[in-house]
Amino acid sequence: MKILLFGGAFDPPHNGHLSILEEASRYTDFDKIIVMPTGTPTHKKGCTVPFDVRFYMAKLAFETVNKNVEISDYEGTNLKDDYTYLTLRYLKEKYDNPQIFMLIGSDSLFSFKKWKNYGEVMVNCTPV
């Protein structure tokens, strides 16, 4: 199973987010595209919009991009600290042998080595 994971604070979702997801979804025939708003963004201290509002905005913004898009509330409802390595562990357990591609914006790419357990992230997904 090929999964494209697109996470972020989405505070708010904007045309840049939409554009990068639309473009990435054209390159490979993903079985599932998971958009995952963070519950408590550990990297964006200025994010004050509650999770449920950002989740709803993400649904409105991204569900029509592709028929395989799913908006996940996993991080917002299951994790105290939203770290990508934990989300990847969850996806590896939930799906049988998934091949996970993680869509990442340039803002996050430049700080990637500061992510908690970034080495584990690299082992469990392919950044796009």
Side-chain angles (χ1 to χ4, degrees), residues 15-71:
N15 287 337
H17 293 130
L18 190 57
S19 177
I20 192 174
L21 183 61
E22 287 174 339
E23 194 64 27
S25 70
R26 291 185 187 125
Y27 280 101
T28 300
D29 190 19
F30 294 104
D31 299 302
K32 185 176 284 291
I33 299 171
I34 301 172
V35 175
M36 191 169 301
T38 58
T40 306
T42 54
H43 63 293
K44 292 193 177 182
K45 302 300 179 198
C47 181
T48 58
V49 176
F51 170 76
D52 58 334
V53 174
R54 291 182 292 107
F55 177 76
Y56 182 71
M57 288 191 297
K59 285 181 82 60
L60 291 175
F62 301 119
E63 276 188 333
T64 60
V65 168
N66 183 298
K67 64 180 174 36
N68 297 328
V69 170
E70 167 191 312
I71 314 303

